[in-house]
Amino acid sequence: MATHSSLACEPAADDSFGPVIDACARSFDLTLLFEQSILSATPTTIFLLLSLWRIWKLRISSHKTKHSWMSIVKPIAALALIVCQITLLALYTRSNTIKTRFSISTTVLSLSAAMAILPLSYLEHTRSVRPSTLLTTYLAFSIMLEVPQIRTIYLIPGQLDLAAAFSTAMVVKAALLLFESWNKRVLLESQYCSLATEATSGIFSRSLFLWMNSLFLKGFARVISFDDLGPVDSKLDSARLHQVFCAEWKLQDHNVKWPLLRTSWRALRWSILSPVPPRLCYGGFLFAQPFLINRATAYLSSSSGTIEDDIGYGLIAAAGFVYLGIAVSTALYKHQLYRHITIVRGSLVSVIYSQSLSMKRLPDDPSAAVTLMSTDVDRICQSLIGWVSVVPLIVVLFSAVVDSKVTLSIGGRVALWTDAVQQRISLTANVLSSMKSVKMLGLVRPMHVILQNERLRELRLQSKFRWSTLWLNTLGNVPTALTAAVTFITYAIKAHLQGSTNLDASQAFTSLALISLVTTPASELLTAFPFTAACLGCLRRIQEYLMQPRYTDRRVFTTGMDGSFAEKANRVSNSDTIIARIFHISIPALVGSGPLIQDLDVTIHRNTLTMILGPSGSGKSTLLKAILGEVNYSGSISIATTRIAYCPQSPWLFTGTVQQNICGLGVERIDNIWYQSVLYASALHDDLLTLPLGDQTRIEGQAASLSGGQKQRIALARALYQQPRLLLLDDILSTLDLQTETQIIKNLLDPNGLLRNSKTAIVLVTHTRRYEALADNVIIFDESGNSTQCSHISPLEDRIVSMISEKPETLVLPTDAATSKQDLCSNKVVQEDHSSAVSLQLDGDTADYFYYFRTMKWQRVLFFFLLVAIQTVCYYMSQVVLQWWTADHGLEETKWMSIYIILAVGNAVFYGCIVWAMFLNIVPESAAKLHKVLLDTVMDAPYSFLAKTDAGIILNRFSQDMTLIESQLPTGIMCTTIYLFWTIGSLALISTGSVWMALTIPAVFIAVFFLQRVYLRTSRRLRLIELELRSPTYSHFMETLKGLLCIRTLDWEKQFTNAMIAKLDASQVPFYLLYCAQRWLQLVLDLIVAALAIVVMTLAVKLRSSTDPGSLGLSLNNILSFNETLSLLLQFWTQLEVSLGAITRTREFSKEVPRESNPPFPSQPSPEWPDRGGIEIRNLKVQYTEAKAALSNINMSIRPGEKIALCGRAGSGKTSLLSAILRLLEPSHGCILIDGIDISSVSHETVRGRLLTIPQDPFLLQRNARFNLDPLSHYSDAQVVAVLSKVSIWPLLEKRGGLNASISSDHLSHGQKQLFSLARAILRKDVTEIGGEKESRGRVLLLDGATSSVDADTHALMQRIVKDEFPTHTMLIVEHRLDTILDCDRVAVLDAGRLVDFDSPATLLSRDSAFSALYNAREREAL
C-alpha cells in the first residue's frame, strides 16, 4: 500500500520546483524539475551564448597546432555526445518515461550544446595555444550538476533505460573533458613553443597549479638556475605595462589628490578587480562552515534512523564540498592578487626609470631613485597583501578607533625611517663607487664608522615605527582574543538574569565559528593599518618623484636658421656653414648671486675647432651643458643639426662590452668600416689586443681596472661613432700621456683626419693652451663670467701641418702591444652572486640558523620562545574551557567566566609581548651586527676584488639583503614560531573530535615534512635567483643616472629603457614564480585540511554513538582555522627560509670574499713613522694575473724629501706603482721599504693612514663641506676654514653656506674638487689628537695625476700650495706637464710595467733617453 502511494506521488512531486522533494516520493532528494531547470538548463544556456561569441572570435585566428591524433579523437567524442543526446531526446518522447514540463526543452538545449561543441572543439584545438577554458569549464560543471539528476532517475522505478542513457552521456562527457583538458604544448607550431608554461596550460592546470609541478621536480632533483625557469605570462610583460601606465600618467591631472593612485586605478583596474570574483566565492564557502558545524552538532544530538543516515552522508559530502571549495577559491583569488602585485612592481619600477630619463634637473643623488624602485616599491607590494572586507562589531570598532589614533603617527615615522634608509644607501653607494680613492686616502676606518653609525641611526628611527606596529598588532589581536569572551560572558549574564537556557555546545561552537569568521578579517585589517600607512607614504614619495619637472629643450633646431642668420648660412661656402649660434646668453651660478657666464655671443661654423679656456669654476663645462640644453640660461641657442655628441670630463661607461659602450645597446647592425676608423682615431687598437675577447670583452660600469686614459678614449670613440656634425669635448686630453694625446690629435685634426673628413664642428674645453694654435676660435673665460674671443685667419689644415709636420711617426718611448697596457681581463663582470648561489646546498643549511642566532643574546631568544608558549596556552586553553563550560550546564558559571576572560586577556597581552621581544629587543641588535659583518667584509676586501665586482651587486646586499634581515626575516621567525605552536595546539584539539583522529596526526606531520622538502628546495632557489637578478637592475639604474647627460645627447633613451625593461622582466620571472610556488603550497595544505575535515566528519557520522557534540564542535572549529594556521605556518616558514637567503648570502660573502693580507703579527711602527720619508723599492714585481705583470723588476731608491715624477703612457704602471706603495696591490716578488720598514709587515690601515695621498678622482660625498673634509670631526671649524682658505675655496663656499654648504657634482668644477682634495691632505698632515692618542701623518705625499685636469692657473696655485705646505715631504707625482716634471728632483719613466729611466731631469735630457724623446716631442709640439 505504501509502495502504491509512493508511485502515485512521484510524478506530481517531481513536476514541482521543490527544490526538496516531498517525503511521500523519496527521502533526501531534489525534484526532477529543479534539477533539469536549474542544474542543467541554466549552465547549458550560458554555454550556448558564450560558445557563439567564442566561435566568432576564433574564426579569424591563425592555426597554432600541428595535426595529431587529438585532431581525430576530439571530433569523434563530440559526435558520440550528439548521439547520446539524440538518444535521450528519443527516450523522453516515450509515454512511459517520467518527465516534467522542462524535460524536452532541457534535452533540446543539451543537444544544441553538444552540436556547438563540435565546431568549437575544432577551432579551440587548432587556433588556441591552451586547452579551451569554456569547453572544459562547461563539461566539468555539467558532469557535476548532472550527478543529482542521474541519482534521481536511478531512484525512480522503471527508468533504467533513461538512467543508462544518462550514464553513457556522462561517460562520453568525461572522456571529452579529458581530451579537451589535455595539454597541447607538444602539438604547437614552432613559433609558439617558447610561450610560458602557464600560458599554454588549461583551466584545471592553472586552478590547481599543476603547471608548477615540472618546476618543483627540477628543483627537487638539482639546483635550478634562471635558464630552468622559462618565461612568464606575456600579460606581465613590463614593456606593455610601462606603455599603458605612462600613457595614463600623462593624461592624469597632477593637481588632484593622489594622482598616482588614480592613475594606477585607470591603468590597472582589471588587474585590481581580478581577485574579487574568487574572493566572493571564498567568502561564500567560508561562511558555510558555521552552518556545517551547527548542522553536524545538531545531527549528533538527534536519534538514529534511515533519514539520519542519509543526512550523515550528506554532511560528509558537504564537508568535502565546502573545504575543497575553500582550497580552490583561496588559491585562485590569492593568485590573482599576487599577479596584480607583480604587475604593480613592473609598472612602478618602469615608470620611475622613465621619469629618471626625462627629469629636468640631473639628480644629485642617484641612489634616491634606486631607493624608490627597490625599498619603496617592495613595501608597496607587501602592503597590497591582506585587503579584506569585515563586518563591524563593538570590540572591532573600539580597536579600530584606538588603532586609528596610533596610525596617525605612522606616516611621519615611516617617512623618517625611509629617509634614513635612503641616506644610508646613498652614502654606501658613494663609498662603493669610490673604493679605490677611499683606500688610497686611508679612509676605510672612518667610512666604516660613519656607515655603521648611519645604520644604527636608521635602526633607531625604525624602532619608533616598530612601537607603532607593536600597538597596532596588539590592538589588531584584540578582536580575536576578546570578542568571543565578551560575547559568551554577555550571553551568560543575560541568560542568568532572564532565566533562559544556558549555553549549549551547538550554540557555543556555532557562535565561536561565526565570531572567528568576523574577527579574523577584522584583526587582519587592523594589523594591515601600518602596512597601509607605509604604502601610502611610499606612494607619496614615488608620486613626488614622478611630479618633478620634466626636461624641456629650449634650444631652437632648424635646418636653415631664421632671419638674417639663415641668409648668412645659405650664402657662405660649405666649410663656413653655421652649425650653432649662441646669442647673448647668460647662465646664473648654481648657488650664489652673480652670473656664472654673462652675455656670451658665439657662432660655431662647420669644420672648425672652437677652444674654451679659463680657470677652474669659470663655467667652461657649464657652457657645453647649455649647448646641450641641460642648464638654465637667458638668451637663445640655435642649432642647425640634431647630430650632436658629447664627451664629458669624467668618462662615463656602463656595464656591457667595449663595443656596446661605443656603439650602443641593442644595435643590430654595426658599420664596421666606420667602427674600425673610430677605434684607430681613438688609439684603442693596441688596447683591444690585450683583451681576451677584444671589443667583445665585458666591462663593468665602474671600469675600475681601466686607466683613466683608456676610459676617456672609449668615451671619445663613442662620441665619434655617432658621426656627429657638432662634437662637444670636455677636457678629454687631461688624462692622456703625450704620445697618445698627439696621436689622437693627429688622427682627428690632420688634413685627412677623421673629423676633418666629416667636416665636424668641434667645441673643446681644455685646461691647456698647447693646441691653441689649432683653434679657429678661442673663448677665454675669467672668474667673473666675462669672456674674450679671438679667431685665427689661416686655414685649419695649414695650422695642423705646421704643428705636426716635423713630428715623427712614433715617439721614442718603446711599446709592446701585447704587454704595454694594464691587464684588462678582469674587466669582465664577476658574477659573484651566481657563483655563490651554485655553492648552496639543495636544502636549507642549519649553519645559516646558527649564524643568525649567534647575532642575538641567548637570553633574549629564550625569553621570546617562552612568551610564544604562554600565548599559545592562553589561546587554545580558552576553547577547552569553553567546552567544559558548556558541559557544566551552568553549575559553576562564575568560575568558567573568570578563567575564560583571564585566558583571553592573556592571549592579547602576551601577543603584544611577542612582537616587542622580536622587533624591539632582538632585531635592532642582530640587524646592526649583520650590517657590520657586511661592512667589515667590503672594507677589508682587496682592491682587486672590488675592481672586478659591480658596485650594484654589493649595493644590493646593503639594500635588499638588509631590508630582508630587518623586516621579512624576523617576521618569518616570529610568525613561524607562533604558527608552529598553534599548529600543535590545533591538531591536539582537532583530535578531540574522535579518538581515532589522533591516528591522523603523525600522517599530517609526515605529509608536511615531505611537502616542505619538495617546496623549500625550489622556493629558496627562486628567492636567491630573484635577489641575484635585482642587482643588474640596480646597477643599470645607477649607471643610467650617472650618464644621463650622455644618454640624452646620443638619443639613447629608448635603447636604455629597453635594456632596463629586459632586466626588469628577467627579475620578474623568479619574483612571480615564487608567488606561484607559495600558492601551490597553500593549495596543497588546504587540500590536506579538506581531507582532515572529511575524515573528522566521516568518523563522527560512522561513530556517532561515541562522539560528543561538544568535542565535535571543538574539533570542527579548529579545522575551520587550521587550514589558515597550517597555511600560514608553511607560508612564514617559507618566508623564513627564503629570507634566510640574505643570511646565506651574507655568511658566504663574508667567508668567500678574500681579505687584504695583513701579516699575522703586524709590526707597530713608531707614532711618527715615516718621519723621514725614505723609500726603497727592491726587485718589485706586481701581477694582476699569473700571466700578466703590472710591474716587473722595479728598483728605486728615493731619498727623504725628494720629489719624484712618474711618467709614461696610459697603462704603463704609474698608478700601479703608487697602488703597490699603498698596498692596494700586493707584490708577488720583492719588497718596498719606507724608512727602513718593510710595508708588508705593517697593516694596510696603518700604511694608508700614515701616507698622504691625493688621487686622480676626487672623493666627495653628497654631504656638506665639513663632513667631506673631516668626516669624524677631529678638527675644529677654525682649522677647516683655514685650510679651505689656503686653497682659495673658502670664499666660494662661504657664499653658499660656509661649512654647511652642500658638495655635489654640480656645485664644484673638477678643478675645484681637486683643490678640495688638496685641502683634505693639508688638514690631515698635522699631528692630531684622536681618542686620547696622537695620530701622525708621515712625510710621504703621493699625487696620482691630481693636477692633470686643471687649468694652468689652478695648476700653478696647486703647485705653490704643495711647495709651501709640504716642503720636506717625499713626493711621488704622476704627472704629464713638463714644467712640473722639470721641477722635480728625479724622473722615473715607466713603460709596460718596467722602469726605463730614473735620474734627474737634467741628466736624462743630456743623453739619449726615453724622457729626452718625450721632452723633445713636447717642445716641437709647443713650437
Side-chain angles (χ1 to χ4, degrees):
M1 191 71 181
T3 303
H4 176 75
S5 174
S6 176
L7 291 174
C9 176
E10 196 96 51
D14 275 308
D15 204 22
S16 64
F17 186 77
V20 180
I21 199 165
D22 293 336
C24 64
R26 297 179 303 278
S27 61
F28 200 70
D29 198 11
L30 302 173
T31 67
L32 197 59
L33 178 64
F34 176 82
E35 293 168 344
Q36 292 174 343
S37 61
I38 301 301
L39 303 184
S40 181
T42 301
T44 303
T45 302
I46 295 173
F47 167 74
L48 282 171
L49 294 175
L50 293 178
S51 63
L52 294 175
W53 165 80
R54 183 63 177 165
I55 290 172
W56 180 262
K57 184 177 179 180
L58 288 174
R59 67 183 179 83
I60 58 175
S61 299
S62 60
H63 282 262
K64 296 179 175 64
T65 58
K66 307 170 186 176
H67 185 75
S68 65
W69 62 275
M70 276 289 183
S71 306
I72 302 173
V73 172
K74 287 182 179 180
I76 293 175
L79 290 172
L81 183 59
I82 294 174
V83 172
C84 291
Q85 294 299 331
I86 293 174
T87 303
L88 283 172
L89 183 61
L91 289 174
Y92 269 120
T93 58
R94 298 192 314 181
S95 58
N96 61 340
T97 301
I98 185 169
K99 55 181 175 288
T100 67
R101 54 183 180 272
F102 268 87
S103 297
I104 300 296
S105 57
T106 300
T107 308
V108 171
L109 280 174
S110 297
L111 176 59
S112 301
M115 296 175 68
I117 286 174
L118 185 60
L120 180 60
S121 176
Y122 169 77
L123 291 174
E124 289 279 12
H125 177 75
T126 58
R127 304 188 181 189
S128 176
V129 296
R130 64 168 49 156
S132 172
T133 300
L134 178 60
L135 271 175
T136 52
T137 303
Y138 167 70
L139 291 172
F141 273 97
S142 177
I143 291 171
M144 287 189 297
L145 296 177
E146 285 183 358
V147 169
Q149 186 175 354
I150 294 176
R151 176 180 178 272
T152 297
I153 294 173
Y154 270 108
L155 290 175
I156 299 175
Q159 304 299 321
L160 188 60
D161 292 344
L162 186 61
F166 260 107
S167 299
T168 304
M170 179 175 288
V171 171
V172 173
K173 282 185 179 180
L176 188 56
L177 175 62
L178 176 64
F179 298 143
E180 291 295 341
S181 303
W182 202 277
N183 192 289
K184 300 188 295 183
R185 193 173 186 87
V186 295
L187 307 178
L188 294 176
E189 297 285 353
S190 57
Q191 63 266 37
Y192 301 105
C193 291
S194 60
L195 292 174
T197 304
E198 183 183 12
T200 59
S201 300
I203 182 66
F204 295 135
S205 179
R206 284 178 283 129
S207 300
L208 300 176
F209 291 91
L210 300 177
W211 62 276
M212 288 289 295
N213 290 344
S214 59
L215 180 60
F216 280 109
L217 290 175
K218 291 179 184 177
F220 187 77
R222 66 177 189 273
V223 177
I224 58 174
S225 64
F226 176 75
D227 295 333
D228 296 313
L229 305 184
V232 294
D233 193 351
S234 59
K235 293 180 180 178
L236 304 178
D237 181 57
S238 300
R240 185 182 65 86
L241 297 174
H242 173 252
Q243 183 180 3
V244 173
F245 202 94
C246 286
E248 292 293 344
W249 178 250
K250 288 179 181 178
L251 296 174
Q252 175 64 51
D253 180 6
H254 295 173
N255 296 319
V256 299
K257 191 174 182 179
W258 292 108
L260 185 58
L261 275 178
R262 296 169 186 259
T263 299
S264 300
W265 165 253
R266 289 204 314 273
L268 310 175
R269 57 185 177 273
W270 297 117
S271 174
I272 295 172
L273 294 174
S274 60
V276 173
R279 174 71 194 192
L280 293 175
C281 295
Y282 169 73
F285 287 119
L286 204 62
F287 279 90
Q289 291 178 99
F291 299 100
L292 179 65
I293 293 172
N294 183 54
R295 190 67 185 88
T297 52
Y299 167 77
L300 291 180
S301 302
S302 62
S303 58
S304 301
T306 304
I307 183 65
E308 282 73 20
D309 292 339
D310 289 337
I311 292 174
Y313 292 122
L315 287 173
I316 296 173
F321 178 73
V322 168
Y323 286 98
L324 287 174
I326 288 175
V328 176
S329 59
T330 301
L332 289 176
Y333 104 77
K334 287 194 173 182
H335 181 55
Q336 293 302 320
L337 173 63
Y338 285 105
R339 276 180 67 92
H340 174 63
I341 289 173
T342 307
I343 289 173
V344 168
R345 179 174 181 261
S347 301
L348 290 179
V349 171
S350 60
V351 77
I352 291 171
Y353 184 82
S354 179
Q355 168 66 12
S356 300
L357 283 175
S358 58
M359 289 177 62
K360 178 179 180 180
R361 184 173 179 270
L362 300 180
D364 289 336
D365 184 9
S367 61
V370 178
T371 304
L372 290 177
M373 56 82 67
S374 57
T375 304
D376 290 83
V377 171
D378 285 345
R379 285 180 184 167
I380 291 171
C381 291
Q382 292 173 17
S383 66
L384 291 177
I385 304 170
W387 290 82
V388 293
S389 300
V390 297
V391 178
L393 294 173
I394 295 175
V395 177
V396 176
L397 288 175
F398 169 76
S399 300
V401 171
V402 180
D403 219 11
S404 63
K405 301 296 184 183
V406 180
T407 304
L408 292 176
S409 64
I410 286 182
R413 293 179 178 180
V414 170
L416 290 174
W417 175 26
T418 305
D419 288 341
V421 173
Q422 178 178 319
Q423 188 170 338
R424 176 179 64 84
I425 296 301
S426 171
L427 186 60
T428 304
N430 286 341
V431 172
L432 290 176
S433 62
S434 304
M435 277 304 295
K436 181 178 181 180
S437 297
V438 170
K439 286 182 175 290
M440 292 180 75
L441 291 167
L443 292 177
V444 168
R445 288 304 109 191
M447 289 300 104
H448 185 288
V449 171
I450 290 168
L451 289 174
Q452 186 64 17
N453 287 339
E454 287 292 323
R455 176 63 168 170
L456 294 175
R457 173 177 170 270
E458 172 194 336
L459 291 173
R460 285 194 297 271
L461 292 173
Q462 183 191 93
S463 295
K464 295 180 179 180
F465 168 74
R466 295 299 188 191
W467 272 109
S468 300
T469 58
L470 165 64
W471 286 110
L472 288 173
N473 277 279
T474 304
L475 293 170
N477 191 47
V478 165
T480 304
L482 297 182
T483 303
V486 172
T487 303
F488 291 139
I489 290 173
T490 303
Y491 178 86
I493 294 173
K494 173 179 173 293
H496 178 74
L497 294 176
Q498 296 181 354
S500 56
T501 57
N502 294 313
L503 194 66
D504 60 25
S506 178
Q507 291 175 323
F509 289 105
T510 302
S511 301
L512 188 63
L514 287 169
I515 290 170
S516 176
L517 290 178
V518 172
T519 57
T520 298
S523 176
E524 291 176 355
L525 181 65
L526 294 176
T527 53
F529 277 3
F531 296 102
T532 305
C535 172
L536 293 177
C538 294
L539 272 174
R540 186 181 293 108
R541 282 165 47 83
I542 295 175
Q543 179 177 284
E544 291 172 355
Y545 186 78
L546 296 180
M547 292 176 65
Q548 290 186 21
R550 299 175 71 87
Y551 170 73
T552 54
D553 196 347
R554 291 182 51 208
R555 297 173 298 170
V556 177
F557 287 91
T558 174
T559 54
M561 298 297 183
D562 296 333
S564 60
F565 189 25
E567 295 174 6
K568 179 178 179 182
N570 292 328
R571 286 197 307 267
V572 296
S573 64
N574 186 49
S575 61
D576 290 334
T577 302
I578 297 176
I579 289 292
R581 180 76 166 89
I582 301 172
F583 188 73
H584 296 296
I585 71 162
S586 295
I587 302 175
L590 187 63
V591 179
S593 55
L596 185 63
I597 297 175
Q598 55 184 348
D599 198 27
L600 177 66
D601 190 67
V602 178
T603 301
I604 301 173
H605 296 271
R606 188 178 183 185
N607 197 22
T608 61
L609 171 61
T610 300
M611 185 175 291
I612 303 176
L613 302 170
S616 296
S618 59
K620 304 185 296 296
S621 298
T622 305
L623 176 59
L624 295 190
K625 293 180 181 179
I627 296 174
L628 295 173
E630 293 289 348
V631 296
N632 292 325
Y633 60 86
S634 59
S636 66
I637 298 177
S638 300
I639 299 178
T641 180
T642 58
R643 292 170 61 179
I644 305 173
Y646 170 64
C647 193
Q649 185 174 17
S650 298
W652 169 72
L653 302 180
F654 56 86
T655 300
T657 65
V658 174
Q659 187 183 81
Q660 287 175 332
N661 271 274
I662 295 173
C663 303
L665 293 168
V667 178
E668 296 180 359
R669 187 176 178 181
I670 303 294
D671 185 345
N672 193 57
I673 297 177
W674 180 250
Y675 176 64
Q676 294 299 326
S677 300
V678 165
L679 293 181
Y680 176 77
S682 305
L684 280 171
H685 268 126
D686 290 346
D687 296 88
L688 294 181
L689 291 175
T690 66
L691 301 178
L693 299 177
D695 62 357
Q696 296 304 311
T697 301
R698 187 174 176 83
I699 60 174
E700 51 92 8
Q702 298 300 319
S705 56
L706 288 172
S707 71
Q710 289 164 335
K711 295 184 206 176
Q712 194 63 270
R713 281 179 282 141
I714 292 176
L716 174 62
R718 174 172 56 227
L720 295 175
Y721 183 78
Q722 310 308 313
Q723 300 185 32
R725 291 291 174 262
L726 176 60
L727 178 61
L728 308 179
L729 305 175
D730 191 357
D731 205 9
I732 63 165
L733 305 176
S734 60
T735 58
L736 304 180
D737 60 274
L738 178 61
Q739 180 179 352
T740 306
E741 177 184 317
T742 307
Q743 181 182 350
I744 289 176
I745 289 294
K746 180 180 178 181
N747 292 342
L748 297 181
L749 299 179
D750 185 87
N752 294 318
L754 197 70
L755 296 179
R756 284 284 293 133
N757 286 333
S758 61
K759 303 190 182 303
T760 301
I762 310 159
V763 180
L764 173 64
V765 168
T766 180
H767 65 276
T768 178
R769 296 194 169 201
R770 186 180 311 132
Y771 300 106
E772 182 178 351
L774 294 178
D776 299 272
N777 190 26
V778 178
I779 304 173
I780 303 174
F781 289 108
D782 60 22
E783 295 179 349
S784 301
N786 298 313
S787 62
T788 57
Q789 300 184 42
C790 60
S791 300
H792 294 285
I793 306 301
S794 61
L796 176 63
E797 56 265 31
D798 295 341
R799 281 175 272 126
I800 295 175
V801 170
S802 66
M803 290 195 65
I804 65 174
S805 59
E806 299 180 11
K807 192 173 302 299
E809 286 298 316
T810 59
L811 295 180
V812 178
L813 277 173
T815 60
D816 182 0
T819 60
S820 62
K821 302 292 186 285
Q822 293 181 7
D823 178 55
L824 301 180
C825 299
S826 59
N827 282 342
K828 292 183 288 185
V829 174
V830 176
Q831 303 295 334
E832 53 88 24
D833 275 14
H834 296 274
S835 61
S836 65
V838 173
S839 67
L840 293 176
Q841 306 258 337
L842 285 174
D843 297 312
D845 194 344
T846 55
D848 294 334
Y849 287 98
F850 286 113
Y851 186 84
Y852 181 55
F853 281 109
R854 278 200 300 270
T855 64
M856 314 169 190
K857 294 180 180 178
W858 68 268
Q859 297 93 335
R860 296 182 178 183
V861 177
L862 183 62
F863 181 61
F864 166 75
F865 282 106
L866 180 62
L867 290 174
V868 175
I870 295 173
Q871 191 272 340
T872 302
V873 171
C874 292
Y875 181 43
Y876 285 97
M877 277 303 297
S878 62
Q879 299 183 48
V880 177
V881 168
L882 181 62
Q883 183 189 7
W884 293 342
W885 185 356
T886 58
D888 189 56
H889 302 295
L891 296 179
E892 296 182 278
E893 279 194 340
T894 303
K895 180 182 76 173
W896 300 122
M897 282 192 295
S898 301
I899 297 174
Y900 197 79
I901 193 65
I902 289 173
L903 291 173
V905 173
N907 177 14
V909 171
F910 282 106
Y911 187 85
C913 293
I914 292 171
V915 178
W916 171 84
M918 176 54 69
F919 286 103
L920 291 166
N921 196 24
I922 294 177
V923 168
E925 178 186 22
S926 64
K929 287 183 178 179
L930 288 167
H931 182 268
K932 185 176 183 299
V933 168
L934 197 57
L935 202 56
D936 288 340
T937 303
V938 173
M939 291 299 182
D940 293 340
Y943 176 67
S944 58
F945 169 82
L946 298 171
K948 295 185 293 184
T949 306
D950 190 352
I953 293 175
I954 301 177
L955 184 63
N956 187 28
R957 298 181 181 278
F958 283 95
S959 58
Q960 183 66 29
D961 287 3
M962 290 299 105
T963 300
L964 289 174
I965 286 170
E966 71 192 17
S967 57
Q968 293 190 30
L969 181 58
T971 300
I973 288 179
M974 183 184 75
C975 294
T976 298
T977 305
I978 291 173
Y979 287 116
L980 176 63
F981 278 66
W982 287 11
T983 299
I984 296 171
S986 292
L987 284 172
L989 296 188
I990 288 172
S991 63
T992 62
S994 172
V995 293
W996 296 101
M997 269 303 295
L999 299 177
T1000 64
I1001 295 178
V1004 171
F1005 277 111
I1006 292 172
V1008 171
F1009 172 76
F1010 284 105
L1011 180 63
Q1012 65 87 22
R1013 280 182 61 85
V1014 172
Y1015 173 75
L1016 288 178
R1017 289 191 179 194
T1018 302
S1019 64
R1020 279 173 59 89
R1021 283 297 304 153
L1022 286 173
R1023 182 56 172 168
L1024 286 172
I1025 293 171
E1026 195 261 331
L1027 287 174
E1028 292 165 8
L1029 292 177
R1030 281 178 181 249
S1031 298
T1033 309
Y1034 296 163
S1035 298
H1036 188 77
F1037 222 107
M1038 294 186 67
E1039 290 168 5
T1040 298
L1041 293 173
K1042 289 180 180 179
L1044 192 53
L1045 198 57
C1046 292
I1047 293 173
R1048 285 178 181 170
T1049 304
L1050 298 172
D1051 197 23
W1052 280 4
E1053 292 96 334
K1054 183 177 180 180
Q1055 58 179 264
F1056 267 75
T1057 299
N1058 292 339
M1060 178 65 187
I1061 287 176
K1063 289 176 170 61
L1064 178 59
D1065 278 336
S1067 70
Q1068 290 278 70
V1069 172
F1071 181 84
Y1072 174 68
L1073 289 179
L1074 180 59
Y1075 281 142
C1076 292
Q1078 293 173 358
R1079 303 287 66 76
W1080 177 91
L1081 172 66
Q1082 182 164 14
L1083 176 63
V1084 175
L1085 291 175
D1086 286 344
L1087 293 176
I1088 292 175
V1089 172
L1092 282 177
I1094 294 171
V1095 170
V1096 168
M1097 192 64 74
T1098 302
L1099 290 174
V1101 169
K1102 291 299 183 181
L1103 304 175
R1104 184 177 176 188
S1105 59
S1106 61
T1107 304
D1108 176 58
S1111 298
L1112 179 63
L1114 182 62
S1115 179
L1116 289 177
N1117 259 287
N1118 278 275
I1119 287 178
L1120 182 148
S1121 60
F1122 182 64
N1123 64 330
E1124 185 174 4
T1125 301
L1126 190 59
S1127 172
L1128 289 172
L1129 169 62
L1130 266 291
Q1131 176 182 326
F1132 284 107
W1133 187 1
T1134 301
Q1135 179 177 318
L1136 169 60
E1137 285 284 335
V1138 168
S1139 303
L1140 204 65
I1143 298 296
T1144 305
R1145 283 160 52 86
T1146 301
R1147 180 173 65 86
E1148 300 237 339
F1149 186 68
S1150 63
K1151 182 176 67 174
E1152 294 179 357
V1153 171
R1155 298 293 200 274
E1156 289 185 315
S1157 56
N1158 277 318
F1161 302 101
S1163 61
Q1164 296 294 331
S1166 65
E1168 295 79 19
W1169 179 86
D1171 54 336
R1172 293 181 296 111
I1175 302 175
E1176 288 284 337
I1177 302 176
R1178 300 175 181 173
N1179 300 321
L1180 182 67
K1181 183 177 182 181
V1182 176
Q1183 290 184 291
Y1184 286 115
T1185 64
E1186 293 183 1
K1188 179 62 180 175
L1191 297 171
S1192 298
N1193 196 29
I1194 303 294
N1195 287 278
M1196 298 175 69
S1197 179
I1198 303 172
R1199 294 181 291 272
E1202 271 196 310
K1203 289 177 62 178
I1204 306 299
L1206 302 178
C1207 304
R1209 291 195 61 185
S1212 61
K1214 305 182 297 294
T1215 300
S1216 297
L1217 180 58
L1218 296 187
S1219 298
I1221 295 174
L1222 290 166
R1223 297 199 63 189
L1224 267 69
L1225 296 174
E1226 294 294 341
S1228 57
H1229 185 267
C1231 62
I1232 301 174
L1233 288 80
I1234 300 180
D1235 282 353
I1237 297 178
D1238 188 345
I1239 63 171
S1240 63
S1241 66
V1242 183
S1243 67
H1244 296 81
E1245 182 179 355
T1246 302
V1247 171
R1248 296 165 192 161
R1250 300 291 181 88
L1251 305 184
L1252 292 171
T1253 306
I1254 303 178
Q1256 183 176 2
D1257 298 321
F1259 172 61
L1260 296 176
L1261 298 172
Q1262 301 289 339
R1263 298 295 184 88
N1264 60 35
R1266 200 199 196 295
F1267 182 89
N1268 275 280
L1269 271 182
D1270 183 21
L1272 295 181
S1273 300
H1274 289 157
Y1275 302 91
S1276 66
D1277 287 353
Q1279 289 175 297
V1280 174
V1281 172
V1283 297
L1284 289 173
S1285 300
K1286 288 179 181 178
V1287 297
S1288 304
I1289 290 291
W1290 176 245
L1292 175 67
L1293 294 178
E1294 192 174 22
K1295 294 178 183 178
R1296 300 178 179 179
L1299 295 180
N1300 293 320
S1302 176
I1303 301 296
S1304 72
S1305 58
D1306 289 335
H1307 294 161
L1308 295 178
S1309 69
H1310 189 80
Q1312 290 168 338
K1313 293 175 186 177
Q1314 288 292 18
L1315 288 171
F1316 200 91
S1317 298
L1318 178 57
R1320 182 190 289 126
I1322 297 172
L1323 185 66
R1324 298 176 65 219
K1325 74 182 176 67
D1326 297 321
V1327 177
T1328 311
E1329 188 98 10
I1330 300 176
E1333 298 182 0
K1334 289 187 176 181
E1335 182 178 287
S1336 173
R1337 308 294 176 187
R1339 295 187 177 277
V1340 175
L1341 176 64
L1342 309 178
L1343 294 95
D1344 185 13
T1347 62
S1348 60
S1349 300
V1350 299
D1351 61 275
D1353 293 338
T1354 304
H1355 177 265
L1357 173 64
M1358 293 183 70
Q1359 292 301 317
R1360 179 180 58 79
I1361 294 173
V1362 168
K1363 286 181 180 180
D1364 293 342
E1365 295 295 330
F1366 306 96
T1368 60
H1369 281 64
T1370 302
M1371 299 184 197
L1372 273 73
I1373 308 170
V1374 175
E1375 186 58 70
H1376 299 301
R1377 304 191 190 213
L1378 284 178
D1379 54 349
T1380 304
I1381 296 173
L1382 294 177
D1383 193 44
C1384 292
D1385 298 307
R1386 284 192 284 176
V1387 178
V1389 181
L1390 295 167
D1391 181 55
R1394 297 181 179 274
L1395 183 64
V1396 296
D1397 279 333
F1398 185 43
D1399 211 329
S1400 66
T1403 302
L1404 292 177
L1405 290 175
S1406 65
R1407 58 182 171 84
D1408 186 14
S1409 65
F1411 178 70
S1412 64
L1414 186 68
Y1415 180 82
N1416 294 332
R1418 178 63 60 90
E1419 287 297 304
R1420 286 193 298 270
E1421 186 74 27
L1423 293 176

